[in-house]
Amino acid sequence: MKAFLRNLLAATLGVALFFALLAGGAAWKLDQKPSIRDHSWLVVDLYGDLPAYAGPGGVASALLSEEGETLHRVLMNLEKARHDERIEGVVLKLSSSNGAGPADLQEIRGAVRRLQEEGKQVLGFTDALDRSTFLLAGACDSLYATPSAYISYTGLATVSPYLKGALDKLAIEPQVHRIDQYKAAAELVTRTEMSPAAEENRTWMLQEMWEMGLQALAEDRGWDEARAEEMMQHALFTAQEAVEWGLVHRLLYWDQLAEQLKREKDDHLRTVSSARYADEPLEELGWKGKKKIAVVHAHGMIGGRQSRVDPLLGTMMGHETVGAALRRAREDEDVVAVVFRIDSPGGESLASDLIGREVELCAQEKPIVSSMVDVAASGGYHIAYKATRIVADPMTVTGSIGSISGKFNVSGLYQKLGITHDWVTKGPMAMLYSDLTDFSEEEWARYTENHWEDFDRWLDDVAARRGLSREQAEKVAMGRVWSGRQAVENGLVDDLGDWMRAVEVAKELAGLKPDEEVSLVHYPAPKGLVETVSYTHLRAHETVLDLVCRLLLE
């Protein structure tokens, strides 16, 4: 036993030493930041996922390599570059293999326009381009592509999977109640094709995206709808054809573009990566003031208490984590207003309501502006509407004021596996939530009645706060999904714009002059690499020591 303990303690010290060296090495690496030289080009690579903000795990998974890009980092870097005399211009490396939604691209597009207004060039470089990515690419001063680039320009489509057939084969019976017919997410498990209401909703959303896409084409290239449809008919372009059709200005490999942009006396193009530039303090590049605006970030599915990364659902927004961030912003005397950045398709109604309560408490003390990113629907709208003001991008997906509740009867699957159950009950409705039985007629009546009661309270509150009658609220709710542009028209959103517009509104509500300087403080503060590695080291160390203590106590 003693020999075992000695070996275990030695292993513990080894683990501690390893992580200490790793953290120390990371600190050394981060301290060796190359200086940014004059006439440098900021290079932003939009490839892969583009979450709205750094996830709960920080950058631990990246260890000593560059962490993944986020919408927040892109926007902050472009804003800093606008004021930074060392930055001559920006190169956006664009790919159709990106996770940016239409509103994400629109926000970056707005940042590009502001850079151009300051007289700075924004160049696009792509190896794979599609219609969606062209929403941003078309705004660049020049767009370059590699000679072997994959380029397509097709029409719009929306596709939904349906699991009802698979559930039937597994003998799983969904017992789902939805409010109401436009809440199409329920159809995933209850139907094999979309309902007329779902088709209607998707059709008007596609029309919205179509119209706003045409507007961007007219601004960037002067093309009309006929020209767009002509390109869609051609659909697939060689890189040379893309030049001939006007999608791309010139074909170049990256080394050729770098050679073209570099200063004559330099051997190489002076570039700054997005990760390196993120370390430049925002307050030294255009945002410095005694008064602060807090930016509270809330992204991911809503559910549970603590924000986390779920292996199946991805980034999860916990109500205690987001609530704590909102309270910190509310209680900071230097914070004059709050911008609540929301990117969420919804989730758990309880957690949504608890976050909404913190928004309400904040609004009672200082202005809070909900800034909708790519999606702020269902629970995402639930946490937004109690703010002092709501700002959305025209292409934001919002609304979906409705509800889905139910259970799955999996007794048929158990029977297929040879598993049987039996039970004894006492008292009414003891098997109400059981996954072994369907709802009885009486249970279903009580269950749906309770569901409607909860929803009616929410809808009445939305109507009261948005200045709508109950009848008006019902016409924009019941699961209907809207673009940000439509949401302004029907009273669910106050204003259109990106994060900069939300900051402008926050300043206005706080009684500040439009040109008054403010500082931005972000909640939760993104974890740096050293902090994340150190935290991992401490947790690993604590786990091993806890095991040692338990063994000693035995």
Side-chain angles (χ1 to χ4, degrees):
M1 180 66 175
K2 289 181 179 180
F4 171 75
L5 289 177
R6 280 198 302 271
N7 291 335
L8 189 58
L9 285 171
T12 301
L13 292 174
V15 170
L17 179 61
F18 169 77
F19 279 107
L21 289 172
L22 187 60
W28 175 84
K29 179 180 178 181
L30 293 179
D31 283 340
Q32 310 305 306
K33 298 172 185 173
S35 60
I36 297 175
R37 303 167 67 189
D38 291 341
H39 305 290
S40 292
W41 285 78
L42 173 63
V43 179
V44 178
D45 192 354
L46 296 176
Y47 179 86
D49 291 336
L50 191 73
Y53 193 63
V59 297
S61 60
L63 291 180
L64 299 180
S65 64
E66 286 189 6
E67 66 269 31
E69 196 60 90
T70 67
L71 176 64
H72 166 72
R73 191 170 79 177
V74 170
L75 295 175
M76 292 302 104
N77 280 349
L78 294 181
E79 176 61 20
K80 287 185 287 188
R82 188 162 71 97
H83 301 275
D84 194 341
E85 294 180 355
R86 299 168 300 175
I87 300 298
E88 186 162 319
V90 176
V91 178
L92 296 177
K93 298 181 77 173
L94 302 167
S95 172
S96 55
S97 298
N98 73 77
D104 298 329
L105 295 172
Q106 276 278 53
E107 285 220 63
I108 301 173
R109 180 185 172 86
V112 166
R113 291 299 190 210
R114 287 188 286 272
L115 272 161
Q116 292 166 333
E117 289 169 3
E118 292 293 328
K120 298 202 174 185
Q121 277 192 298
V122 180
L123 307 179
F125 179 81
T126 184
D127 57 9
L129 184 70
D130 61 6
R131 176 197 45 77
S132 175
T133 310
F134 193 75
L135 180 66
L136 175 57
C140 296
D141 293 295
S142 294
L143 178 59
Y144 303 96
T146 61
S148 54
Y150 300 125
I151 298 176
S152 66
Y153 200 95
T154 63
L156 286 69
T158 175
V159 179
S160 299
Y162 295 90
L163 304 181
K164 182 66 168 63
L167 295 179
D168 288 344
K169 290 182 178 181
L170 295 172
I172 297 175
E173 181 62 34
Q175 303 274 289
V176 176
H177 184 248
R178 66 173 176 174
I179 302 174
D180 203 7
Q181 70 270 26
Y182 290 95
K183 198 68 175 177
E187 297 178 4
L188 172 71
V189 296
T190 61
R191 295 178 61 92
T192 57
E193 59 185 12
M194 69 178 68
S195 66
E199 183 178 0
E200 177 189 0
N201 204 157
R202 290 175 186 276
T203 299
W204 77 55
M205 284 296 291
L206 273 183
Q207 182 63 29
E208 278 289 280
M209 298 305 164
W210 177 267
E211 291 177 4
M212 286 186 274
L214 289 177
Q215 181 180 339
L217 280 180
E219 292 174 1
D220 299 337
R221 293 286 198 268
W223 295 340
D224 59 13
E225 185 171 5
R227 174 65 169 172
E229 290 185 345
E230 185 181 8
M231 290 190 299
M232 291 172 181
Q233 187 66 41
H234 194 72
L236 302 175
F237 298 79
T238 65
Q240 183 57 45
E241 284 178 327
V243 173
E244 294 167 0
W245 282 70
L247 282 167
V248 172
H249 294 112
R250 188 178 173 190
L251 302 183
L252 288 174
Y253 288 104
W254 175 256
D255 62 288
Q256 294 173 315
L257 177 59
E259 182 67 23
Q260 173 182 302
L261 296 179
K262 78 176 181 66
R263 290 168 63 81
E264 187 175 345
K265 64 181 181 180
D266 291 344
D267 293 329
H268 304 285
L269 177 66
R270 301 179 185 185
T271 62
V272 183
S273 73
S274 183
R276 166 63 188 90
Y277 200 55
D279 294 329
E280 295 297 292
L282 183 64
E283 57 270 18
E284 294 181 9
L285 294 167
W287 292 84
K288 187 175 184 180
K290 291 183 179 180
K291 295 179 179 178
K292 297 189 293 188
I293 289 181
V295 184
V296 177
H297 297 267
H299 71 108
M301 290 282 291
I302 303 170
R305 295 183 176 181
Q306 300 298 321
S307 296
R308 63 204 182 278
V309 177
D310 185 276
L312 294 178
L313 299 176
T315 301
M316 297 293 295
M317 182 196 314
H319 69 81
E320 288 186 354
T321 303
V322 178
L326 288 166
R327 283 193 299 276
R328 286 185 63 193
R330 169 164 55 96
E331 294 168 359
D332 188 334
E333 294 181 356
D334 293 329
V335 170
V336 297
V338 178
V339 172
F340 189 31
R341 291 277 285 168
I342 302 169
D343 191 26
S344 173
E348 182 189 329
S349 59
L350 172 61
S352 300
D353 187 63
L354 294 174
I355 294 172
R357 174 59 178 170
E358 291 295 340
V359 173
E360 180 180 25
L361 292 174
C362 184
Q364 292 172 2
E365 295 189 24
K366 58 187 63 173
I368 177 169
V369 179
S370 288
S371 172
M372 296 178 167
V373 190
D374 198 54
V375 180
S378 194
Y381 187 81
H382 198 149
I383 67 176
Y385 78 95
K386 294 181 182 179
T388 316
R389 198 77 61 84
I390 304 175
V391 176
D393 185 271
M395 290 188 173
T396 296
V397 176
T398 188
S400 194
I401 300 172
S403 185
I404 300 171
S405 187
K407 68 176 183 178
F408 290 91
N409 181 349
V410 297
S411 60
L413 176 60
Y414 285 137
Q415 291 174 11
K416 285 178 176 288
L417 297 174
I419 301 172
T420 58
H421 297 80
D422 204 352
W423 53 84
V424 176
T425 66
K426 183 175 176 59
M429 299 196 183
M431 299 290 283
L432 178 69
Y433 292 111
S434 174
D435 64 356
L436 299 173
T437 63
D438 287 345
F439 288 113
S440 68
E441 185 175 337
E442 182 184 15
E443 288 170 340
W444 182 249
R446 184 68 195 101
Y447 190 85
T448 56
E449 179 185 37
N450 177 256
H451 193 198
W452 273 107
E453 289 169 351
D454 288 341
F455 173 76
D456 285 338
R457 276 196 300 271
W458 179 27
L459 187 59
D460 287 341
D461 193 51
V462 170
R465 293 175 188 272
R466 298 302 306 170
L468 304 172
S469 67
R470 170 71 189 208
E471 182 181 8
Q472 289 172 321
E474 287 182 354
K475 288 181 178 179
V476 298
M478 304 306 173
R480 292 175 178 87
V481 178
W482 309 100
S483 70
R485 189 172 71 167
Q486 291 171 326
V488 169
E489 294 172 355
N490 62 35
L492 293 178
V493 168
D494 298 301
D495 199 0
L496 293 177
D498 58 9
W499 77 275
M500 285 285 283
R501 177 57 187 156
V503 170
E504 290 173 1
V505 172
K507 289 173 67 175
E508 175 189 331
L509 293 172
L512 304 182
K513 296 179 180 179
D515 59 349
E516 184 170 347
E517 291 187 345
V518 294
S519 297
L520 297 181
V521 55
H522 295 271
Y523 298 105
K527 291 180 181 179
L529 181 58
V530 175
E531 179 186 358
T532 308
V533 171
S534 298
Y535 173 79
T536 306
H537 149 239
L538 288 173
R539 292 294 297 172
H541 196 192
E542 289 168 2
T543 302
V544 178
L545 288 179
D546 182 58
L547 175 60
V548 172
C549 290
R550 288 205 308 271
L551 287 171
L552 289 174
L553 288 173
E554 290 176 356

